[in-house]
Amino acid sequence: MKKIIVAIDGHSSCGKSTMAKDLASKIGYTYIDTGAMYRAVTLYALRHDLFYPCGNIKLDELEAAMPDIHITFRFNEETRRPDTYLNGEYVENLIRGMEVSSHVSPIATVGFVREAMVAQQQEMGRAKGIVMDGRDIGTVVFPEAELKVFVTASAEVRAQRRYDELMAKGQPASFDEILENVKERDRIDSSREISPLRQADDAILLDNSNLTIPQQNEWLMEQYLRVVNE
Ligand code: DC
């Protein structure tokens, strides 16, 4: 069967990674969570004091540090998904916390950060056989991807999912704070100058507000089978 690239873009916390991960494991593809890469850069910036108190980024210092930021993924047999490592350190849980979540959008607007991440992502997909999720996969990283999906759901539904996820991990959270964070990230992701979040002309739109996880997984599998059997 021919190998393809599956590009999944969409709003934050809309279940992109759940469906991407499920498809990848069923068809034996590599799953790549590009948001995790921007999150790992953010964690590095927080740890190295690269934010001014007002929240702006110390751009010159971050640019100088870019060659020292190495992000890798290692497949975790237990969770059946890749874990994120920053300079060899396991950071999968740290990058999902509120501190990183509330600083990541500005990091993802920085041109030299995006260039470095996109180059790595294109390299990861050179041999195809990948399911990659993010914001600019179908528009910038792989405009030639054979299957492009754009996922969305209402901000309230997405905040509730994120809240449930944090609770399940025992990480304290406030629903209102998460809802604000989801809305603020939508605003920054969609209005930034470089690679703003937008649906590629040839992407299929999926609003999963009223879909269960098995339903959305099934829907994605159908799209995949349609494309590979074309
Ligand atoms: O999908 P996520 O919430 O983990 O993404 C974290 C942030 O990174 C979010 O603000 C959007 C940004 N991002 C991006 O700009 N481009 C990508 N390909 C992936 C994520």
Side-chain angles (χ1 to χ4, degrees), residues 12 34-35 38-39 104-105 108 114 134-137 185 189 192:
S12 60
T34 61
Y38 293 95
R39 286 171 178 271
V104 63
S105 286
R114 299 205 71 84
R135 304 293 188 286
D136 59 342
I137 312 307
R185 281 202 285 157
D189 291 347
R192 69 179 176 223

mmCIF file of all heavy atoms in Angstrom, residues 12 34-35 38-39 104-105 108 114 134-137 185 189 192, ligand 1:
data_model
loop_
_atom_site.group_PDB
_atom_site.id
_atom_site.type_symbol
_atom_site.label_atom_id
_atom_site.label_comp_id
_atom_site.label_asym_id
_atom_site.label_seq_id
_atom_site.Cartn_x
_atom_site.Cartn_y
_atom_site.Cartn_z
ATOM 1 N N SER A 12 -6.418 24.624 19.208
ATOM 2 C CA SER A 12 -5.787 23.931 20.324
ATOM 3 C C SER A 12 -6.825 23.104 21.099
ATOM 4 O O SER A 12 -8.008 23.457 21.129
ATOM 5 C CB SER A 12 -5.100 24.931 21.254
ATOM 6 O OG SER A 12 -6.043 25.825 21.751
ATOM 7 N N THR A 34 3.755 18.282 16.583
ATOM 8 C CA THR A 34 4.633 19.450 16.403
ATOM 9 C C THR A 34 4.431 20.492 17.495
ATOM 10 O O THR A 34 5.335 21.263 17.796
ATOM 11 C CB THR A 34 4.439 20.109 15.021
ATOM 12 O OG1 THR A 34 3.094 20.567 14.914
ATOM 13 C CG2 THR A 34 4.765 19.138 13.911
ATOM 14 N N GLY A 35 3.230 20.503 18.121
ATOM 15 C CA GLY A 35 2.998 21.424 19.239
ATOM 16 C C GLY A 35 3.979 21.144 20.374
ATOM 17 O O GLY A 35 4.448 22.057 21.055
ATOM 18 N N TYR A 38 7.184 23.142 19.900
ATOM 19 C CA TYR A 38 7.102 24.549 20.328
ATOM 20 C C TYR A 38 7.034 24.640 21.855
ATOM 21 O O TYR A 38 7.571 25.560 22.463
ATOM 22 C CB TYR A 38 5.900 25.246 19.667
ATOM 23 C CG TYR A 38 6.094 25.375 18.172
ATOM 24 C CD1 TYR A 38 5.567 24.434 17.288
ATOM 25 C CD2 TYR A 38 6.865 26.406 17.631
ATOM 26 C CE1 TYR A 38 5.789 24.517 15.924
ATOM 27 C CE2 TYR A 38 7.089 26.504 16.263
ATOM 28 C CZ TYR A 38 6.551 25.553 15.421
ATOM 29 O OH TYR A 38 6.787 25.638 14.068
ATOM 30 N N ARG A 39 6.381 23.651 22.452
ATOM 31 C CA ARG A 39 6.299 23.622 23.919
ATOM 32 C C ARG A 39 7.672 23.387 24.538
ATOM 33 O O ARG A 39 8.019 23.981 25.563
ATOM 34 C CB ARG A 39 5.319 22.529 24.377
ATOM 35 C CG ARG A 39 3.868 22.891 24.139
ATOM 36 C CD ARG A 39 2.935 21.714 24.391
ATOM 37 N NE ARG A 39 1.561 22.116 24.188
ATOM 38 C CZ ARG A 39 0.774 22.624 25.135
ATOM 39 N NH1 ARG A 39 1.230 22.737 26.373
ATOM 40 N NH2 ARG A 39 -0.450 23.002 24.874
ATOM 41 N N VAL A 104 3.480 29.525 25.430
ATOM 42 C CA VAL A 104 3.907 28.928 24.156
ATOM 43 C C VAL A 104 3.481 29.714 22.910
ATOM 44 O O VAL A 104 4.230 29.770 21.931
ATOM 45 C CB VAL A 104 3.456 27.444 24.065
ATOM 46 C CG1 VAL A 104 1.959 27.292 24.073
ATOM 47 C CG2 VAL A 104 4.047 26.757 22.846
ATOM 48 N N SER A 105 2.310 30.358 22.937
ATOM 49 C CA SER A 105 1.860 31.035 21.718
ATOM 50 C C SER A 105 2.830 32.116 21.234
ATOM 51 O O SER A 105 3.152 32.158 20.044
ATOM 52 C CB SER A 105 0.459 31.618 21.893
ATOM 53 O OG SER A 105 -0.468 30.576 21.864
ATOM 54 N N ALA A 108 5.686 30.559 19.517
ATOM 55 C CA ALA A 108 5.347 30.020 18.195
ATOM 56 C C ALA A 108 5.150 31.110 17.142
ATOM 57 O O ALA A 108 4.925 30.807 15.976
ATOM 58 C CB ALA A 108 4.102 29.138 18.300
ATOM 59 N N ARG A 114 10.169 29.125 14.217
ATOM 60 C CA ARG A 114 9.355 28.359 13.254
ATOM 61 C C ARG A 114 10.226 27.759 12.162
ATOM 62 O O ARG A 114 10.050 26.604 11.786
ATOM 63 C CB ARG A 114 8.272 29.239 12.617
ATOM 64 C CG ARG A 114 7.285 29.823 13.600
ATOM 65 C CD ARG A 114 5.957 30.131 12.931
ATOM 66 N NE ARG A 114 5.249 28.925 12.592
ATOM 67 C CZ ARG A 114 4.468 28.245 13.441
ATOM 68 N NH1 ARG A 114 4.252 28.684 14.651
ATOM 69 N NH2 ARG A 114 3.875 27.142 13.060
ATOM 70 N N GLY A 134 -0.555 19.750 14.010
ATOM 71 C CA GLY A 134 -0.065 21.087 14.362
ATOM 72 C C GLY A 134 -1.009 22.172 13.897
ATOM 73 O O GLY A 134 -2.246 22.019 14.003
ATOM 74 N N ARG A 135 -0.448 23.265 13.413
ATOM 75 C CA ARG A 135 -1.259 24.390 12.954
ATOM 76 C C ARG A 135 -0.991 24.734 11.489
ATOM 77 O O ARG A 135 -1.808 25.351 10.834
ATOM 78 C CB ARG A 135 -0.946 25.662 13.777
ATOM 79 C CG ARG A 135 -1.113 25.535 15.273
ATOM 80 C CD ARG A 135 -2.566 25.330 15.638
ATOM 81 N NE ARG A 135 -2.758 25.384 17.085
ATOM 82 C CZ ARG A 135 -2.406 24.422 17.927
ATOM 83 N NH1 ARG A 135 -1.844 23.314 17.473
ATOM 84 N NH2 ARG A 135 -2.642 24.560 19.220
ATOM 85 N N ASP A 136 0.198 24.360 11.022
ATOM 86 C CA ASP A 136 0.635 24.776 9.682
ATOM 87 C C ASP A 136 1.136 23.593 8.869
ATOM 88 O O ASP A 136 1.910 23.766 7.942
ATOM 89 C CB ASP A 136 1.773 25.809 9.821
ATOM 90 C CG ASP A 136 2.965 25.242 10.600
ATOM 91 O OD1 ASP A 136 2.788 24.223 11.300
ATOM 92 O OD2 ASP A 136 4.066 25.813 10.499
ATOM 93 N N ILE A 137 0.698 22.397 9.228
ATOM 94 C CA ILE A 137 1.256 21.214 8.555
ATOM 95 C C ILE A 137 0.765 21.151 7.101
ATOM 96 O O ILE A 137 1.563 20.972 6.183
ATOM 97 C CB ILE A 137 0.917 19.904 9.317
ATOM 98 C CG1 ILE A 137 1.212 20.060 10.822
ATOM 99 C CG2 ILE A 137 1.681 18.726 8.729
ATOM 100 C CD1 ILE A 137 2.607 20.529 11.174
ATOM 101 N N ARG A 185 -5.141 31.559 23.003
ATOM 102 C CA ARG A 185 -4.269 30.857 22.054
ATOM 103 C C ARG A 185 -4.881 30.853 20.649
ATOM 104 O O ARG A 185 -4.178 31.015 19.658
ATOM 105 C CB ARG A 185 -3.978 29.431 22.534
ATOM 106 C CG ARG A 185 -2.910 29.435 23.599
ATOM 107 C CD ARG A 185 -2.237 28.108 23.714
ATOM 108 N NE ARG A 185 -3.096 27.170 24.395
ATOM 109 C CZ ARG A 185 -2.998 25.856 24.273
ATOM 110 N NH1 ARG A 185 -2.116 25.328 23.488
ATOM 111 N NH2 ARG A 185 -3.804 25.067 24.951
ATOM 112 N N ASP A 189 -2.834 32.322 17.651
ATOM 113 C CA ASP A 189 -2.502 31.377 16.572
ATOM 114 C C ASP A 189 -3.085 31.831 15.225
ATOM 115 O O ASP A 189 -2.448 31.668 14.184
ATOM 116 C CB ASP A 189 -3.051 29.967 16.883
ATOM 117 C CG ASP A 189 -2.327 29.299 18.051
ATOM 118 O OD1 ASP A 189 -1.259 29.790 18.461
ATOM 119 O OD2 ASP A 189 -2.850 28.281 18.560
ATOM 120 N N ARG A 192 -1.409 35.640 14.033
ATOM 121 C CA ARG A 192 0.023 35.924 13.909
ATOM 122 C C ARG A 192 0.397 36.105 12.428
ATOM 123 O O ARG A 192 -0.274 35.569 11.526
ATOM 124 C CB ARG A 192 0.852 34.813 14.563
ATOM 125 C CG ARG A 192 0.785 33.513 13.830
ATOM 126 C CD ARG A 192 1.648 32.460 14.497
ATOM 127 N NE ARG A 192 1.476 31.206 13.817
ATOM 128 C CZ ARG A 192 1.340 30.031 14.404
ATOM 129 N NH1 ARG A 192 1.365 29.926 15.705
ATOM 130 N NH2 ARG A 192 1.187 28.939 13.698
HETATM 131 O O1 DC B 1 -1.038 21.805 19.838
HETATM 132 P P1 DC B 1 -0.462 22.485 21.075
HETATM 133 O O2 DC B 1 -1.492 23.150 21.931
HETATM 134 O O3 DC B 1 0.418 21.586 21.849
HETATM 135 O O4 DC B 1 0.460 23.664 20.477
HETATM 136 C C1 DC B 1 1.183 24.505 21.310
HETATM 137 C C2 DC B 1 1.362 25.868 20.662
HETATM 138 O O5 DC B 1 2.239 25.775 19.550
HETATM 139 C C3 DC B 1 0.094 26.555 20.181
HETATM 140 O O6 DC B 1 0.076 27.894 20.663
HETATM 141 C C4 DC B 1 0.214 26.581 18.698
HETATM 142 C C5 DC B 1 1.658 26.385 18.418
HETATM 143 N N1 DC B 1 1.895 25.528 17.266
HETATM 144 C C6 DC B 1 2.221 26.129 16.078
HETATM 145 O O7 DC B 1 2.253 27.347 16.000
HETATM 146 N N2 DC B 1 2.503 25.374 14.998
HETATM 147 C C7 DC B 1 2.449 24.042 15.058
HETATM 148 N N3 DC B 1 2.730 23.323 13.965
HETATM 149 C C8 DC B 1 2.098 23.410 16.271
HETATM 150 C C9 DC B 1 1.805 24.180 17.364
#
